Amino acid sequence: MSTVIILKATAGDLLGKKFRFAGPAYCVLGRSRSCTLRLPGDATVSRQHCLLELDNNGVWIQDLGSLNGTFVNGSKIGQREAENDSCDATMVQPARQYLRDGDLVRICNNVFTVRVVEAPVVVHEQDSDYEMLQSV
């Protein structure tokens, strides 16, 4: 069995669009053209804002040090730390957040409803409104 995540945009420039990712995969969301899911119309989105990880055990999201943070169900899961004048710079690995079916993910002005499917997926004609995205 593979894990599939479907993101439906409920706010932002992608409003109404659906995106499907099949696992195992790593998918970067952000403004950059190199992102798996590009969020181009919002200058408050970081170039590489957050990462979705899909495997046979589920789906996780992780902020990639964005300036404005990533939110799951209204709770901030990560954001770049304020600049520090200290000479003791250390890299801190941000925590991953497990995603469940029905969760809401907010990336600046973009909001997505999460649907997680843990089964073999057969694409039917009614599924043609999904954008199939390849992982990086």
Side-chain angles (χ1 to χ4, degrees), residues 1-6 20-25 53-60 98 115-123 132:
M1 273 198 220
S2 67
T3 300
V4 172
I5 183 171
I6 298 166
R20 182 184 355 218
F21 303 91
E53 295 179 62
L54 292 81
D55 64 24
N56 292 336
N57 297 316
V59 181
W60 290 265
Y98 187 75
R115 179 155 180 248
V116 179
V117 179
E118 310 250 357
V121 174
V122 178
V123 177
M132 298 294 287

Side-chain angles (χ1 to χ4, degrees), residues 29-55:
L29 286 70
R31 271 184 320 164
S32 173
R33 291 178 189 201
S34 66
C35 290
T36 312
L37 176 52
R38 189 165 177 238
L39 308 172
D42 186 349
T44 61
V45 174
S46 294
R47 286 181 188 93
Q48 294 184 338
H49 199 97
C50 62
L51 172 70
L52 289 176
E53 295 179 62
L54 292 81
D55 64 24

Side-chain angles (χ1 to χ4, degrees), residues 81-97:
E81 293 292 324
E83 294 298 323
N84 189 341
D85 291 335
S86 171
C87 295
D88 298 329
T90 58
M91 176 66 174
V92 177
Q93 181 75 18
R96 296 185 319 164
Q97 171 75 40

Side-chain angles (χ1 to χ4, degrees), residues 6-10 13-19 111-112 129-131:
I6 298 166
L7 299 178
K8 180 180 179 185
T10 58
D13 289 336
L14 301 175
L15 178 65
K17 292 190 177 184
K18 299 175 189 174
F19 305 92
V111 180
F112 298 93
D129 61 341
Y130 292 101
E131 256 188 69

